[in-house]
Amino acid sequence: MAAAEPARRRRPADDDGAPDAQTSSPRRKAAARRAPSPARGAVTGAAAAMRLAAGQLAELLGRTPESVSSLRPTEEGWEAQVEVVELERVPDTTSVLASYKVSIDEDGELISYERTRRYSRGMIDRPA
């Protein structure tokens, strides 16, 4: 006896966001017309700002960010501190990380970034 085929999933929307003719329905089309689309690249909240700051920094540095350690709104947009592994070592506690200050505007475009600190992963902050 042959194995049963898995259920087929609907095809996703095209790159332009329009669903395929096979999967669209009149109700879906009407909802798409009514829904206002946000401005291209507009940052709608803190989570979106975090993703944009980390993603654009990764694009520039060619390294995947480890974490976003702080995020705050500014008059121009958002400012984030993003932690990036700059040099992986064994053991992991000796890897070198850097903290970058990243500024993005209200539309989510990176305005500036600067490395503010380098440290080993095992180093902890101590009060001065």
mmCIF file of all heavy atoms in Angstrom, residues 42-78:
data_model
loop_
_atom_site.group_PDB
_atom_site.id
_atom_site.type_symbol
_atom_site.label_atom_id
_atom_site.label_comp_id
_atom_site.label_asym_id
_atom_site.label_seq_id
_atom_site.Cartn_x
_atom_site.Cartn_y
_atom_site.Cartn_z
ATOM 1 N N ALA A 42 8.127 52.751 7.076
ATOM 2 C CA ALA A 42 7.789 53.445 8.313
ATOM 3 C C ALA A 42 7.951 52.512 9.509
ATOM 4 O O ALA A 42 7.543 51.367 9.464
ATOM 5 C CB ALA A 42 6.361 53.965 8.253
ATOM 6 N N VAL A 43 8.553 53.015 10.578
ATOM 7 C CA VAL A 43 8.751 52.239 11.791
ATOM 8 C C VAL A 43 7.502 52.391 12.643
ATOM 9 O O VAL A 43 7.119 53.492 13.009
ATOM 10 C CB VAL A 43 9.998 52.727 12.564
ATOM 11 C CG1 VAL A 43 10.175 51.934 13.837
ATOM 12 C CG2 VAL A 43 11.227 52.615 11.698
ATOM 13 N N THR A 44 6.837 51.267 12.951
ATOM 14 C CA THR A 44 5.569 51.324 13.671
ATOM 15 C C THR A 44 5.704 51.013 15.164
ATOM 16 O O THR A 44 4.718 51.036 15.866
ATOM 17 C CB THR A 44 4.558 50.349 13.049
ATOM 18 O OG1 THR A 44 5.126 49.038 13.077
ATOM 19 C CG2 THR A 44 4.223 50.743 11.633
ATOM 20 N N GLY A 45 6.876 50.710 15.658
ATOM 21 C CA GLY A 45 7.032 50.419 17.079
ATOM 22 C C GLY A 45 8.446 50.004 17.417
ATOM 23 O O GLY A 45 9.332 49.931 16.560
ATOM 24 N N ALA A 46 8.651 49.734 18.702
ATOM 25 C CA ALA A 46 9.978 49.393 19.201
ATOM 26 C C ALA A 46 10.513 48.092 18.599
ATOM 27 O O ALA A 46 11.694 48.005 18.250
ATOM 28 C CB ALA A 46 9.950 49.300 20.725
ATOM 29 N N ALA A 47 9.660 47.085 18.466
ATOM 30 C CA ALA A 47 10.124 45.801 17.915
ATOM 31 C C ALA A 47 10.598 45.971 16.478
ATOM 32 O O ALA A 47 11.639 45.422 16.085
ATOM 33 C CB ALA A 47 9.006 44.766 17.989
ATOM 34 N N ALA A 48 9.864 46.731 15.688
ATOM 35 C CA ALA A 48 10.269 46.978 14.300
ATOM 36 C C ALA A 48 11.571 47.769 14.259
ATOM 37 O O ALA A 48 12.453 47.492 13.442
ATOM 38 C CB ALA A 48 9.163 47.725 13.554
ATOM 39 N N ALA A 49 11.715 48.743 15.144
ATOM 40 C CA ALA A 49 12.943 49.535 15.201
ATOM 41 C C ALA A 49 14.143 48.659 15.543
ATOM 42 O O ALA A 49 15.220 48.803 14.963
ATOM 43 C CB ALA A 49 12.794 50.663 16.212
ATOM 44 N N MET A 50 13.948 47.722 16.489
ATOM 45 C CA MET A 50 15.038 46.807 16.857
ATOM 46 C C MET A 50 15.471 45.958 15.669
ATOM 47 O O MET A 50 16.658 45.809 15.396
ATOM 48 C CB MET A 50 14.603 45.884 18.005
ATOM 49 C CG MET A 50 14.631 46.529 19.353
ATOM 50 S SD MET A 50 14.056 45.447 20.675
ATOM 51 C CE MET A 50 15.123 44.043 20.530
ATOM 52 N N ARG A 51 14.485 45.393 14.969
ATOM 53 C CA ARG A 51 14.810 44.548 13.810
ATOM 54 C C ARG A 51 15.529 45.344 12.729
ATOM 55 O O ARG A 51 16.508 44.876 12.142
ATOM 56 C CB ARG A 51 13.538 43.925 13.242
ATOM 57 C CG ARG A 51 13.016 42.762 14.049
ATOM 58 C CD ARG A 51 11.901 42.021 13.307
ATOM 59 N NE ARG A 51 10.742 42.864 13.047
ATOM 60 C CZ ARG A 51 9.750 43.067 13.912
ATOM 61 N NH1 ARG A 51 9.786 42.495 15.098
ATOM 62 N NH2 ARG A 51 8.731 43.839 13.588
ATOM 63 N N LEU A 52 15.062 46.553 12.460
ATOM 64 C CA LEU A 52 15.677 47.379 11.424
ATOM 65 C C LEU A 52 17.097 47.781 11.794
ATOM 66 O O LEU A 52 18.003 47.720 10.959
ATOM 67 C CB LEU A 52 14.828 48.622 11.165
ATOM 68 C CG LEU A 52 13.513 48.367 10.441
ATOM 69 C CD1 LEU A 52 12.610 49.582 10.526
ATOM 70 C CD2 LEU A 52 13.772 47.997 8.990
ATOM 71 N N ALA A 53 17.310 48.195 13.041
ATOM 72 C CA ALA A 53 18.645 48.603 13.479
ATOM 73 C C ALA A 53 19.627 47.439 13.381
ATOM 74 O O ALA A 53 20.725 47.578 12.825
ATOM 75 C CB ALA A 53 18.589 49.138 14.909
ATOM 76 N N ALA A 54 19.238 46.276 13.893
ATOM 77 C CA ALA A 54 20.121 45.105 13.860
ATOM 78 C C ALA A 54 20.348 44.624 12.429
ATOM 79 O O ALA A 54 21.471 44.298 12.045
ATOM 80 C CB ALA A 54 19.534 43.982 14.705
ATOM 81 N N GLY A 55 19.298 44.609 11.629
ATOM 82 C CA GLY A 55 19.415 44.124 10.250
ATOM 83 C C GLY A 55 20.304 44.991 9.382
ATOM 84 O O GLY A 55 21.132 44.496 8.619
ATOM 85 N N GLN A 56 20.140 46.302 9.495
ATOM 86 C CA GLN A 56 20.954 47.197 8.672
ATOM 87 C C GLN A 56 22.412 47.218 9.121
ATOM 88 O O GLN A 56 23.320 47.307 8.298
ATOM 89 C CB GLN A 56 20.352 48.596 8.679
ATOM 90 C CG GLN A 56 19.034 48.637 7.918
ATOM 91 C CD GLN A 56 18.436 50.012 7.856
ATOM 92 O OE1 GLN A 56 19.099 50.951 7.429
ATOM 93 N NE2 GLN A 56 17.201 50.133 8.288
ATOM 94 N N LEU A 57 22.662 47.100 10.426
ATOM 95 C CA LEU A 57 24.038 47.027 10.907
ATOM 96 C C LEU A 57 24.694 45.735 10.411
ATOM 97 O O LEU A 57 25.848 45.741 9.991
ATOM 98 C CB LEU A 57 24.092 47.108 12.430
ATOM 99 C CG LEU A 57 25.493 47.146 13.028
ATOM 100 C CD1 LEU A 57 26.227 48.413 12.597
ATOM 101 C CD2 LEU A 57 25.443 47.062 14.543
ATOM 102 N N ALA A 58 23.954 44.634 10.450
ATOM 103 C CA ALA A 58 24.484 43.357 9.948
ATOM 104 C C ALA A 58 24.858 43.465 8.483
ATOM 105 O O ALA A 58 25.892 42.940 8.051
ATOM 106 C CB ALA A 58 23.450 42.255 10.146
ATOM 107 N N GLU A 59 24.034 44.157 7.716
ATOM 108 C CA GLU A 59 24.301 44.348 6.290
ATOM 109 C C GLU A 59 25.605 45.118 6.077
ATOM 110 O O GLU A 59 26.401 44.791 5.205
ATOM 111 C CB GLU A 59 23.134 45.121 5.682
ATOM 112 C CG GLU A 59 22.871 44.822 4.243
ATOM 113 C CD GLU A 59 21.601 45.508 3.780
ATOM 114 O OE1 GLU A 59 20.520 45.236 4.341
ATOM 115 O OE2 GLU A 59 21.719 46.327 2.848
ATOM 116 N N LEU A 60 25.838 46.129 6.882
ATOM 117 C CA LEU A 60 27.049 46.945 6.740
ATOM 118 C C LEU A 60 28.301 46.225 7.219
ATOM 119 O O LEU A 60 29.349 46.307 6.590
ATOM 120 C CB LEU A 60 26.898 48.250 7.519
ATOM 121 C CG LEU A 60 25.929 49.260 6.931
ATOM 122 C CD1 LEU A 60 25.703 50.396 7.916
ATOM 123 C CD2 LEU A 60 26.460 49.796 5.617
ATOM 124 N N LEU A 61 28.191 45.527 8.358
ATOM 125 C CA LEU A 61 29.375 44.891 8.951
ATOM 126 C C LEU A 61 29.665 43.504 8.397
ATOM 127 O O LEU A 61 30.779 43.017 8.517
ATOM 128 C CB LEU A 61 29.206 44.790 10.470
ATOM 129 C CG LEU A 61 29.063 46.098 11.247
ATOM 130 C CD1 LEU A 61 28.852 45.804 12.725
ATOM 131 C CD2 LEU A 61 30.280 46.979 11.030
ATOM 132 N N GLY A 62 28.640 42.841 7.876
ATOM 133 C CA GLY A 62 28.826 41.473 7.412
ATOM 134 C C GLY A 62 28.877 40.476 8.560
ATOM 135 O O GLY A 62 29.380 39.378 8.411
ATOM 136 N N ARG A 63 28.370 40.866 9.726
ATOM 137 C CA ARG A 63 28.327 39.998 10.906
ATOM 138 C C ARG A 63 26.916 40.039 11.486
ATOM 139 O O ARG A 63 26.279 41.084 11.489
ATOM 140 C CB ARG A 63 29.302 40.484 11.973
ATOM 141 C CG ARG A 63 30.736 40.416 11.552
ATOM 142 C CD ARG A 63 31.623 40.842 12.715
ATOM 143 N NE ARG A 63 33.006 40.812 12.346
ATOM 144 C CZ ARG A 63 33.708 41.874 11.981
ATOM 145 N NH1 ARG A 63 33.153 43.055 11.977
ATOM 146 N NH2 ARG A 63 34.967 41.755 11.655
ATOM 147 N N THR A 64 26.467 38.919 12.024
ATOM 148 C CA THR A 64 25.137 38.849 12.614
ATOM 149 C C THR A 64 25.168 39.418 14.026
ATOM 150 O O THR A 64 25.991 38.996 14.843
ATOM 151 C CB THR A 64 24.654 37.388 12.676
ATOM 152 O OG1 THR A 64 24.706 36.843 11.365
ATOM 153 C CG2 THR A 64 23.243 37.305 13.208
ATOM 154 N N PRO A 65 24.285 40.363 14.341
ATOM 155 C CA PRO A 65 24.244 40.909 15.698
ATOM 156 C C PRO A 65 23.878 39.841 16.720
ATOM 157 O O PRO A 65 23.084 38.954 16.458
ATOM 158 C CB PRO A 65 23.152 41.974 15.626
ATOM 159 C CG PRO A 65 23.084 42.340 14.193
ATOM 160 C CD PRO A 65 23.394 41.080 13.449
ATOM 161 N N GLU A 66 24.488 39.932 17.882
ATOM 162 C CA GLU A 66 24.235 39.009 18.984
ATOM 163 C C GLU A 66 22.946 39.399 19.714
ATOM 164 O O GLU A 66 22.132 38.562 20.040
ATOM 165 C CB GLU A 66 25.431 39.065 19.948
ATOM 166 C CG GLU A 66 25.383 38.120 21.076
ATOM 167 C CD GLU A 66 25.910 36.751 20.715
ATOM 168 O OE1 GLU A 66 26.309 36.507 19.577
ATOM 169 O OE2 GLU A 66 25.893 35.911 21.611
ATOM 170 N N SER A 67 22.792 40.704 19.977
ATOM 171 C CA SER A 67 21.602 41.186 20.684
ATOM 172 C C SER A 67 21.492 42.699 20.543
ATOM 173 O O SER A 67 22.428 43.368 20.127
ATOM 174 C CB SER A 67 21.670 40.818 22.167
ATOM 175 O OG SER A 67 22.740 41.496 22.780
ATOM 176 N N VAL A 68 20.325 43.208 20.911
ATOM 177 C CA VAL A 68 20.111 44.648 21.030
ATOM 178 C C VAL A 68 19.984 44.905 22.526
ATOM 179 O O VAL A 68 19.053 44.433 23.166
ATOM 180 C CB VAL A 68 18.841 45.098 20.271
ATOM 181 C CG1 VAL A 68 18.587 46.580 20.487
ATOM 182 C CG2 VAL A 68 18.977 44.789 18.783
ATOM 183 N N SER A 69 20.944 45.625 23.100
ATOM 184 C CA SER A 69 20.962 45.797 24.550
ATOM 185 C C SER A 69 20.179 47.016 25.019
ATOM 186 O O SER A 69 19.812 47.088 26.195
ATOM 187 C CB SER A 69 22.401 45.855 25.070
ATOM 188 O OG SER A 69 23.098 46.907 24.439
ATOM 189 N N SER A 70 19.928 47.970 24.132
ATOM 190 C CA SER A 70 19.076 49.090 24.513
ATOM 191 C C SER A 70 18.466 49.709 23.262
ATOM 192 O O SER A 70 19.003 49.591 22.162
ATOM 193 C CB SER A 70 19.855 50.155 25.300
ATOM 194 O OG SER A 70 20.709 50.882 24.447
ATOM 195 N N LEU A 71 17.322 50.365 23.479
ATOM 196 C CA LEU A 71 16.603 51.019 22.385
ATOM 197 C C LEU A 71 15.838 52.184 22.983
ATOM 198 O O LEU A 71 15.202 52.033 24.035
ATOM 199 C CB LEU A 71 15.630 50.035 21.729
ATOM 200 C CG LEU A 71 14.771 50.584 20.603
ATOM 201 C CD1 LEU A 71 15.620 50.819 19.360
ATOM 202 C CD2 LEU A 71 13.640 49.630 20.296
ATOM 203 N N ARG A 72 15.933 53.342 22.341
ATOM 204 C CA ARG A 72 15.174 54.482 22.840
ATOM 205 C C ARG A 72 14.739 55.355 21.676
ATOM 206 O O ARG A 72 15.466 55.489 20.676
ATOM 207 C CB ARG A 72 15.969 55.283 23.858
ATOM 208 C CG ARG A 72 17.167 56.005 23.300
ATOM 209 C CD ARG A 72 17.905 56.786 24.398
ATOM 210 N NE ARG A 72 18.977 57.561 23.805
ATOM 211 C CZ ARG A 72 18.856 58.815 23.396
ATOM 212 N NH1 ARG A 72 17.718 59.432 23.532
ATOM 213 N NH2 ARG A 72 19.866 59.444 22.857
ATOM 214 N N PRO A 73 13.549 55.937 21.782
ATOM 215 C CA PRO A 73 13.094 56.845 20.736
ATOM 216 C C PRO A 73 13.830 58.191 20.852
ATOM 217 O O PRO A 73 14.184 58.614 21.955
ATOM 218 C CB PRO A 73 11.600 57.011 21.020
ATOM 219 C CG PRO A 73 11.438 56.688 22.454
ATOM 220 C CD PRO A 73 12.529 55.727 22.802
ATOM 221 N N THR A 74 14.072 58.819 19.727
ATOM 222 C CA THR A 74 14.675 60.150 19.704
ATOM 223 C C THR A 74 13.780 61.052 18.856
ATOM 224 O O THR A 74 12.799 60.579 18.272
ATOM 225 C CB THR A 74 16.086 60.105 19.080
ATOM 226 O OG1 THR A 74 15.986 59.700 17.710
ATOM 227 C CG2 THR A 74 17.005 59.164 19.830
ATOM 228 N N GLU A 75 14.118 62.318 18.772
ATOM 229 C CA GLU A 75 13.332 63.244 17.955
ATOM 230 C C GLU A 75 13.428 62.887 16.473
ATOM 231 O O GLU A 75 12.505 63.131 15.707
ATOM 232 C CB GLU A 75 13.790 64.676 18.188
ATOM 233 C CG GLU A 75 13.428 65.194 19.558
ATOM 234 C CD GLU A 75 13.856 66.637 19.764
ATOM 235 O OE1 GLU A 75 14.211 67.302 18.771
ATOM 236 O OE2 GLU A 75 13.823 67.088 20.911
ATOM 237 N N GLU A 76 14.542 62.315 16.060
ATOM 238 C CA GLU A 76 14.757 61.966 14.650
ATOM 239 C C GLU A 76 14.295 60.560 14.296
ATOM 240 O O GLU A 76 14.195 60.220 13.137
ATOM 241 C CB GLU A 76 16.240 62.107 14.280
ATOM 242 C CG GLU A 76 16.780 63.509 14.373
ATOM 243 C CD GLU A 76 17.186 63.879 15.795
ATOM 244 O OE1 GLU A 76 17.575 62.989 16.562
ATOM 245 O OE2 GLU A 76 17.108 65.070 16.139
ATOM 246 N N GLY A 77 14.095 59.684 15.295
ATOM 247 C CA GLY A 77 13.724 58.291 15.032
ATOM 248 C C GLY A 77 14.004 57.414 16.229
ATOM 249 O O GLY A 77 13.358 57.528 17.258
ATOM 250 N N TRP A 78 15.027 56.537 16.102
ATOM 251 C CA TRP A 78 15.367 55.595 17.173
ATOM 252 C C TRP A 78 16.882 55.489 17.299
ATOM 253 O O TRP A 78 17.609 55.649 16.330
ATOM 254 C CB TRP A 78 14.817 54.207 16.858
ATOM 255 C CG TRP A 78 13.328 54.143 16.854
ATOM 256 C CD1 TRP A 78 12.514 54.405 15.784
ATOM 257 C CD2 TRP A 78 12.474 53.804 17.937
ATOM 258 N NE1 TRP A 78 11.209 54.245 16.154
ATOM 259 C CE2 TRP A 78 11.151 53.865 17.464
ATOM 260 C CE3 TRP A 78 12.692 53.438 19.257
ATOM 261 C CZ2 TRP A 78 10.056 53.581 18.273
ATOM 262 C CZ3 TRP A 78 11.604 53.151 20.056
ATOM 263 C CH2 TRP A 78 10.302 53.228 19.567
#
